[in-house]
């Protein structure tokens, strides 16, 4: 079977599966097509600080389409970072983490076609998100 006929057969199987049970097919399709892409994004985030002893990025929370991380610097919770897969796009943002002495200034999502994401883009995106982190103002401080 050549590649074109295999692709055609695969598409026919997908249509049949979706026709029989659309919900089950979507779960199957996600597991087959999207889950590996999200896993790759997660690994790129983790790898971005693999050579650092002062910065940790640990998974914390998430859903089927996104993963949350806590960024720790010198063991202190600094911020939360989220990476999601939305319609073929990698989407990253950061937010203030609970129990943190730091706040994250709101900003636009950082977005790129998932197929174009590489180590350089992850580093650039994380760097932009890290730039949004500021110490909380203490009561009475100006």
């Amino acid at each position: 079977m050549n590649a074109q006929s295999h692709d055609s057969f695969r598409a026919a199987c997908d249509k049949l599966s979706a026709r029989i049970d659309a919900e089950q097919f979507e779960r199957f399709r996600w597991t087959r097509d999207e889950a590996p892409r999200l896993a790759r994004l997660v690994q790129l985030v983790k790898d971005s600080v693999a050579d650092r002893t002062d910065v940790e990025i640990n998974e914390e929370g998430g859903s089927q389409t996104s993963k949350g991380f806590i960024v720790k610097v010198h063991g202190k919770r600094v911020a939360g970072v989220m990476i999601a897969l939305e319609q073929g796009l990698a989407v990253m943002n950061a937010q203030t983490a609970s129990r943190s002495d730091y706040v994250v200034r709101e900003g636009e999502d950082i977005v790129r076609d998932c197929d174009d994401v590489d180590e350089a883009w992850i580093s650039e995106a994380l760097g932009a998100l890290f730039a949004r982190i500021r110490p909380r103002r203490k009561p009475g401080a100006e």
Side-chain angles (χ1 to χ4, degrees), residues 73-121:
V73 179
H74 304 295
K76 298 176 186 175
R77 291 172 65 91
V78 175
V81 170
M82 181 274 310
I83 191 160
L85 189 56
E86 297 177 6
Q87 299 176 355
L89 299 174
V91 180
M92 291 185 75
N93 211 327
Q95 64 273 344
T96 301
S98 63
R99 303 182 324 267
S100 176
D101 292 331
Y102 300 85
V103 295
V104 178
R105 181 177 36 84
E106 287 189 38
E108 297 281 325
D109 289 344
I110 301 173
V111 180
R112 184 156 198 172
D113 185 288
C114 189
D115 293 333
D116 296 333
V117 171
D118 59 12
E119 297 86 0
W121 183 81

Side-chain angles (χ1 to χ4, degrees), residues 62-84:
S63 69
Q64 180 182 6
T65 60
S66 67
K67 293 295 179 186
F69 301 91
I70 290 296
V71 178
K72 292 183 177 181
V73 179
H74 304 295
K76 298 176 186 175
R77 291 172 65 91
V78 175
V81 170
M82 181 274 310
I83 191 160

